[in-house]
Amino acid sequence: MDYQAYFSTNREQHLKELGDLLRIPSISALSEHKGDVLKAAEWIAESLRQAGMEAVAVHPTAGHPVVYGEHLHAPGEPTVLVYGHYDVQPVDPLNLWETPPFEPSIRNGKLYARGATDDKGQVFMHIKAIEAILKQEKELPINIKFCIEGEEEVTSPNLPSFLETNQEKLAADVILISDTALMAPGKPAICIGLRGLCAMEVSVFTANTDLHSGTFGGGVPNALHALVSLLASLHDEQGRVTVEGFYEGVHELSALEREEFVKQQFDEEKLKRDLGLTELYGETGYSFVERTGARPTLELNGVYGGFQGEGTKTVLPKEAHAKITCRLVDDQDPQATIDRIERHLNKHLQPGATLKVRATEKARAFTCNPEDPMLQKAADAYESVYGTRALFTKDGGSIPIVETLSRVLSAPAVMMGFGLPDENLHAPNEHFNLENFDKGLLTIVHYLKSL
Amino acid sequence: MDYQAYFSTNREQHLKELGDLLRIPSISALSEHKGDVLKAAEWIAESLRQAGMEAVAVHPTAGHPVVYGEHLHAPGEPTVLVYGHYDVQPVDPLNLWETPPFEPSIRNGKLYARGATDDKGQVFMHIKAIEAILKQEKELPINIKFCIEGEEEVTSPNLPSFLETNQEKLAADVILISDTALMAPGKPAICIGLRGLCAMEVSVFTANTDLHSGTFGGGVPNALHALVSLLASLHDEQGRVTVEGFYEGVHELSALEREEFVKQQFDEEKLKRDLGLTELYGETGYSFVERTGARPTLELNGVYGGFQGEGTKTVLPKEAHAKITCRLVDDQDPQATIDRIERHLNKHLQPGATLKVRATEKARAFTCNPEDPMLQKAADAYESVYGTRALFTKDGGSIPIVETLSRVLSAPAVMMGFGLPDENLHAPNEHFNLENFDKGLLTIVHYLKSL
């Protein structure tokens, strides 16, 4: 079967259809777009039906619906669950878009629209790949299920319970996700690790009122002093987190894993130039890609207290606040990490100050084994289309739902992304390079047929 | 001469006159009141003339004018320079005033109006004391000069150069200032120490843009980490400032000085209750009154950087800021202190971060010797009227102009205040307890006659 010819012939029609999907402003964060989000769900459902999927349904949740569809006619063969999302990010600032976000436009081989790469374009490719196989071969070599949600951009609040409830219906041997990026043009990558996350707000309180620094300075606790001394106590001079038990569950990198990082040939000098930094900084003994890909962190995202205006105000502030997030790896437990940090802070708190810690987000890290045949076959599929084998990479970011999917369904997740790192996800002028649209369709078909 | 009878007889007239002065909204900070500030200066000048002062003039400066007047007919006797100010603080929030700030009102023996105690009421007492002596005795036992400025509430920007230019004209043996408070009703105090001040803004910069904490967290410098670790390094666990040379110029408290502090019988338990604090905090080895009265401090007045909104933002901020003030004592040099702190911060700065320190205010500490006869006679004067000897106290606040006056004119400053600590200076419902107006007039007369 000549899939290249098939996709060439149908390219115009496919892009026309994708354009229709991209025209729906399915912004999940804004309640005024609730109807549009539903419209996009129904569009996906209809598209699945046309591709030949069965039992297609738009399942309501407490928030936006989940679209399900299946094709289960290959007994004894593996079952693939395709996960993706049809909701998109907000579009402000609107004035920075060269063409309107919901009027798709192709320029220089790139399709511009909100959702073009994240994730409507990539979900659409899976539907069209299935449709292609069914049209060409009348049957699928595997069993397939689609689970396409509408709340990924608002941290998937209702998907975990949907997964728990429908565990049997969604059961699969591999979860296939196209919502990430290649390393660079022509350099495919399969993400085998995502860091987990725990987020918290830390507040320190001292007197019941702000005080004059002349009359009281030096004589009473200052909430800012108490806070900065707590925050500074969280790392040692080697950039390691000093919280007792913080590294519990973190596996030391194996020689093989370190080799994979070296293979990325990451250019730290270029990064320094790009960011205007005289030096990088972090835990000693690890490279930048290791620190961001495989090591946990504790970062201050915001600190504030006292006077921020112009000039001087001789005040001793009665309260001070910090926002902290940790990126977690391997088996680190988010709640245990928050508890450990709270214990550390209480232990180091200055006399006369009180502390409040509020946990705001929790997600475990995701990792999978690159030796798994499901992942090795994905690397083969990339190689057959791109002519170069995909690297197995670890990403510093967190996509909490990937860990949930993999854990609840007890299946490896293959993150087979076709975006590029500079395609303005979550920013004005989001776009999708159509070269990867074309190659991605072929890669998906190759992968599904290889299982 | 029966001054008590004299002031009783003239009390109504005096309060009527003071009311006229208090009706002038001479707010120096607000340019729309420039005309009112001038009007108050002219009112003071006219009042000095009527009291019998000579060479009275309203001297223009780059800002609001200085009112000068003299009476120099006691050759061989000491010369007293009375310093005070006729400008007042702003009055907002206006809705919290029980009666309008510029409509003087007497309730329960207290005169309510902006400037009643700070400092129009107290300046007026000196004018009326002189007038009383001249009316009763036709001559003054000493030489006297008045220097009443209109910019005290905006940190006296033009007075230092006026003093330098008119050093000879203003030369005196003692500077007499009534702009402070008794310790408590019936408990007079002479302030013999004011802390100096240096203020600065500290900024830390890292990358040229805010970065995503997933992609970059743990791999690059975080401006907030760099800042809090710098700020935490400024004190040790005993609450002492760790900056090299910071305590240079600070005199250890003598046994006599410590005794004076003990005599104040300051109630630390009550302070804790009032402020809702479980513990006081500061340099170990010193009491609260010693720490705030006689020890230098380094306080954080504001710290800010990164995300302050609701929820979580996974950002590594590219910059972070702090506002710092030090209270200085004895011979500590404000500029040298700023330089030392900058050196300390540079020494402790994390790799990859850059630092900017901007000095915003500088003032030396003021101290004078309680053994000085000019101060001992002031204590005698209080004792003769209040029946109890004034305590010599050190105040934690800073009144930069007192040090300047004393230094430029090479004379001791006697801070003979008649306010009370709870008279709402700089706040709504400022008032002046008329018991201290009456006793103050007698105390001033007694003091001038004793020199």
Side-chain angles (χ1 to χ4, degrees):
Chain A
M1 302 291 150
D2 187 347
Y3 282 94
Q4 189 143 16
Y6 172 85
F7 287 123
S8 264
T9 309
N10 292 281
R11 193 171 193 259
E12 204 172 329
Q13 172 63 17
H14 287 167
L15 290 177
K16 192 186 152 292
E17 285 177 34
L18 176 54
D20 291 341
L21 174 59
L22 293 172
R23 267 184 207 93
I24 307 171
S26 51
I27 303 170
S28 50
L30 303 177
S31 55
E32 66 262 37
H33 285 286
K34 197 171 167 61
D36 296 314
V37 179
L38 179 61
K39 205 172 144 195
E42 283 163 352
W43 194 99
I44 294 285
E46 184 51 33
S47 180
L48 284 170
R49 277 183 210 110
Q50 281 179 17
M53 298 294 290
E54 299 162 357
V56 174
V58 174
H59 291 271
T61 72
H64 302 300
V66 176
V67 184
Y68 176 81
E70 63 183 29
H71 195 280
L72 310 174
H73 301 292
E77 298 299 328
T79 301
V80 176
L81 178 81
V82 175
Y83 164 83
H85 63 96
Y86 61 84
D87 64 322
V88 299
Q89 279 277 319
V91 293
D92 47 290
L94 204 56
N95 61 319
L96 296 184
W97 286 79
E98 288 172 17
T99 49
F102 297 110
E103 294 177 22
S105 152
I106 296 174
R107 303 194 290 282
N108 300 322
K110 294 168 188 167
L111 172 59
Y112 285 82
R114 171 58 86 227
T117 184
D118 178 20
D119 183 34
K120 286 175 173 173
Q122 299 202 57
V123 165
F124 181 78
M125 286 158 69
H126 285 274
I127 301 174
K128 291 298 141 183
I130 295 295
E131 185 179 79
I133 303 175
L134 280 171
K135 279 202 177 161
Q136 300 260 91
E137 316 194 21
K138 311 298 171 212
E139 59 180 16
L140 292 180
I142 41 91
N143 302 297
I144 196 151
K145 299 174 178 176
F146 276 78
C147 171
I148 311 298
E149 71 155 321
E151 297 188 305
E152 198 271 351
E153 300 296 3
V154 290
T155 71
S156 308
N158 296 295
L159 194 63
S161 67
F162 181 84
L163 296 178
E164 302 276 359
T165 314
N166 297 283
Q167 216 166 334
E168 212 172 320
K169 183 192 194 78
L170 298 169
D173 300 296
V174 62
I175 300 152
L176 183 59
I177 305 171
S178 295
D179 195 17
T180 48
L182 310 183
M183 280 200 65
K187 286 181 76 178
I190 296 169
C191 177
I192 54 163
L194 288 165
R195 292 197 286 189
L197 180 78
C198 62
M200 69 210 83
E201 293 175 6
V202 172
S203 299
V204 168
F205 303 92
T206 48
N208 51 21
T209 178
D210 284 356
L211 295 169
H212 190 284
S213 78
T215 317
F216 294 96
V220 296
N222 175 330
L224 278 171
H225 283 268
L227 182 67
V228 302
S229 113
L230 280 183
L231 299 177
S233 79
L234 291 165
H235 292 86
D236 65 16
E237 287 185 3
Q238 277 70 48
R240 274 179 71 87
V241 177
T242 53
V243 174
E244 200 183 323
F246 181 81
Y247 290 95
E248 208 169 278
V250 180
H251 307 156
E252 263 313 307
L253 285 173
S254 68
L256 191 75
E257 287 172 309
R258 301 199 83 157
E259 239 170 68
E260 283 292 326
F261 280 117
V262 171
K263 278 192 199 152
Q264 291 185 30
Q265 299 184 300
F266 186 84
D267 188 344
E268 296 198 356
E269 290 306 314
K270 180 174 183 303
L271 179 69
K272 275 158 59 173
R273 283 196 306 276
D274 289 350
L275 299 181
L277 286 169
T278 55
E279 290 191 56
L280 299 183
Y281 184 75
E283 194 182 355
T284 53
Y286 298 92
S287 68
F288 173 82
V289 279
E290 288 172 343
R291 290 202 302 261
T292 53
R295 296 295 297 173
T297 69
L298 187 162
E299 294 283 356
L300 305 177
N301 308 116
V303 174
Y304 52 104
F307 182 62
Q308 305 192 11
E310 208 183 320
T312 302
K313 186 175 179 187
T314 50
V315 66
L316 306 180
K318 72 187 176 81
E319 58 187 275
H321 309 272
K323 287 174 185 276
I324 299 177
T325 49
C326 296
R327 298 286 170 167
L328 307 175
V329 301
D330 305 326
D331 300 322
Q332 280 182 300
D333 182 72
Q335 185 59 53
T337 303
I338 292 169
D339 293 344
R340 286 180 174 122
I341 292 170
E342 184 164 4
R343 266 198 299 280
H344 175 100
L345 296 174
N346 268 309
K347 198 170 127 192
H348 290 78
L349 189 63
Q350 263 182 17
T354 56
L355 179 76
K356 205 175 114 190
V357 175
R358 194 168 77 83
T360 52
E361 283 182 44
K362 282 173 278 184
R364 300 184 69 95
F366 166 75
T367 42
C368 60
N369 179 4
E371 310 290 304
D372 190 305
M374 293 296 183
L375 277 89
Q376 287 295 328
K377 283 181 178 165
D380 294 342
Y382 272 118
E383 192 169 4
S384 75
V385 178
Y386 282 82
T388 174
R389 201 160 177 79
L391 284 177
F392 292 108
T393 60
K394 292 194 166 195
D395 194 277
S398 307
I399 313 180
I401 201 61
V402 174
E403 191 274 335
T404 311
L405 279 163
S406 183
R407 179 168 40 81
V408 173
L409 305 179
S410 303
V414 173
M415 279 180 271
M416 181 187 262
F418 299 103
L420 281 171
D422 63 354
E423 291 184 328
N424 295 341
L425 280 76
H426 299 202
N429 303 312
E430 178 179 345
H431 58 274
F432 188 19
N433 192 316
L434 292 177
E435 185 189 330
N436 293 314
F437 177 76
D438 299 331
K439 287 190 173 156
L441 284 164
L442 293 171
T443 306
I444 295 168
V445 168
H446 192 287
Y447 182 58
L448 294 178
K449 293 186 70 172
S450 74
L451 291 177
Chain B
M1 302 289 150
D2 187 347
Y3 280 94
Q4 189 142 16
Y6 172 86
F7 287 123
S8 266
T9 309
N10 291 282
R11 193 171 191 259
E12 203 172 331
Q13 171 63 19
H14 286 168
L15 290 177
K16 194 187 150 292
E17 285 178 34
L18 176 54
D20 291 342
L21 174 57
L22 292 172
R23 265 184 208 95
I24 307 171
S26 51
I27 304 170
S28 51
L30 303 176
S31 55
E32 65 262 36
H33 286 285
K34 199 172 165 60
D36 296 314
V37 180
L38 179 59
K39 205 171 143 194
E42 284 164 350
W43 194 100
I44 294 285
E46 185 51 32
S47 181
L48 284 170
R49 277 185 210 105
Q50 281 179 18
M53 297 295 289
E54 299 164 356
V56 173
V58 173
H59 291 270
T61 74
H64 301 301
V66 176
V67 184
Y68 177 81
E70 63 184 29
H71 196 280
L72 310 174
H73 300 294
E77 299 299 329
T79 300
V80 176
L81 177 81
V82 175
Y83 163 82
H85 63 96
Y86 60 83
D87 63 324
V88 298
Q89 278 278 319
V91 293
D92 48 287
L94 203 56
N95 61 319
L96 295 185
W97 286 79
E98 287 172 17
T99 49
F102 297 110
E103 293 178 22
S105 152
I106 296 175
R107 301 194 291 282
N108 299 322
K110 296 169 187 167
L111 172 60
Y112 285 82
R114 172 57 87 225
T117 184
D118 178 18
D119 184 38
K120 285 174 173 173
Q122 300 202 56
V123 164
F124 180 78
M125 286 158 70
H126 285 273
I127 301 175
K128 290 298 141 182
I130 295 294
E131 186 179 78
I133 303 174
L134 279 171
K135 279 204 176 160
Q136 301 260 89
E137 315 194 20
K138 310 297 169 211
E139 60 182 14
L140 291 179
I142 41 88
N143 302 297
I144 197 152
K145 299 173 178 176
F146 276 79
C147 171
I148 312 297
E149 71 155 319
E151 297 187 306
E152 198 271 351
E153 300 294 4
V154 291
T155 70
S156 309
N158 295 296
L159 194 63
S161 69
F162 181 84
L163 296 177
E164 300 278 359
T165 314
N166 297 282
Q167 216 165 334
E168 211 173 319
K169 184 194 194 75
L170 298 170
D173 300 296
V174 62
I175 300 152
L176 184 58
I177 306 171
S178 296
D179 196 16
T180 49
L182 310 182
M183 280 200 66
K187 286 181 75 178
I190 297 168
C191 177
I192 55 165
L194 289 165
R195 292 196 286 189
L197 180 79
C198 63
M200 68 210 83
E201 293 174 6
V202 172
S203 299
V204 168
F205 303 91
T206 48
N208 51 21
T209 178
D210 283 356
L211 294 171
H212 190 283
S213 77
T215 318
F216 295 97
V220 298
N222 174 331
L224 278 172
H225 282 269
L227 182 67
V228 302
S229 111
L230 281 182
L231 298 177
S233 79
L234 291 164
H235 291 85
D236 65 16
E237 288 185 3
Q238 277 68 50
R240 275 180 70 88
V241 177
T242 53
V243 173
E244 200 182 323
F246 181 81
Y247 290 95
E248 208 168 278
V250 180
H251 307 157
E252 264 313 307
L253 285 173
S254 69
L256 192 73
E257 287 172 307
R258 301 199 84 159
E259 238 169 70
E260 284 291 327
F261 279 117
V262 172
K263 278 191 201 154
Q264 292 185 30
Q265 298 184 299
F266 186 84
D267 188 346
E268 295 198 356
E269 290 305 314
K270 180 175 183 302
L271 179 68
K272 275 158 60 174
R273 282 195 307 276
D274 288 351
L275 299 181
L277 286 168
T278 54
E279 290 190 56
L280 299 183
Y281 185 76
E283 195 181 355
T284 53
Y286 297 92
S287 68
F288 173 82
V289 278
E290 288 173 342
R291 290 203 300 262
T292 53
R295 298 294 299 173
T297 69
L298 186 161
E299 294 282 356
L300 306 177
N301 308 117
V303 174
Y304 52 104
F307 181 63
Q308 304 190 12
E310 208 183 321
T312 303
K313 186 174 178 187
T314 49
V315 66
L316 305 179
K318 72 187 176 82
E319 57 187 275
H321 309 273
K323 289 177 183 275
I324 299 177
T325 48
C326 295
R327 298 287 170 165
L328 308 175
V329 301
D330 305 326
D331 300 323
Q332 279 182 300
D333 183 71
Q335 185 59 53
T337 303
I338 291 170
D339 294 345
R340 286 181 175 122
I341 292 170
E342 184 164 5
R343 266 198 299 281
H344 175 101
L345 296 175
N346 269 308
K347 200 170 126 192
H348 289 78
L349 189 63
Q350 263 183 18
T354 56
L355 178 77
K356 207 174 113 192
V357 175
R358 195 168 77 82
T360 52
E361 283 182 43
K362 281 173 278 184
R364 300 184 69 94
F366 166 74
T367 42
C368 60
N369 180 4
E371 311 289 303
D372 190 305
M374 292 296 185
L375 275 90
Q376 286 296 326
K377 283 181 178 164
D380 296 341
Y382 272 118
E383 193 170 3
S384 75
V385 177
Y386 282 82
T388 174
R389 204 160 175 79
L391 284 176
F392 292 107
T393 59
K394 293 194 165 192
D395 194 278
S398 307
I399 313 180
I401 200 62
V402 174
E403 191 274 335
T404 311
L405 278 162
S406 183
R407 179 168 40 81
V408 173
L409 304 178
S410 304
V414 173
M415 279 180 271
M416 181 189 262
F418 299 104
L420 281 171
D422 62 355
E423 291 185 329
N424 295 341
L425 280 75
H426 298 203
N429 304 311
E430 178 179 345
H431 58 273
F432 189 17
N433 191 317
L434 291 177
E435 183 188 331
N436 292 315
F437 177 77
D438 299 331
K439 287 189 173 159
L441 284 164
L442 293 171
T443 307
I444 295 168
V445 168
H446 191 286
Y447 182 59
L448 294 178
K449 294 186 70 171
S450 75
L451 292 176

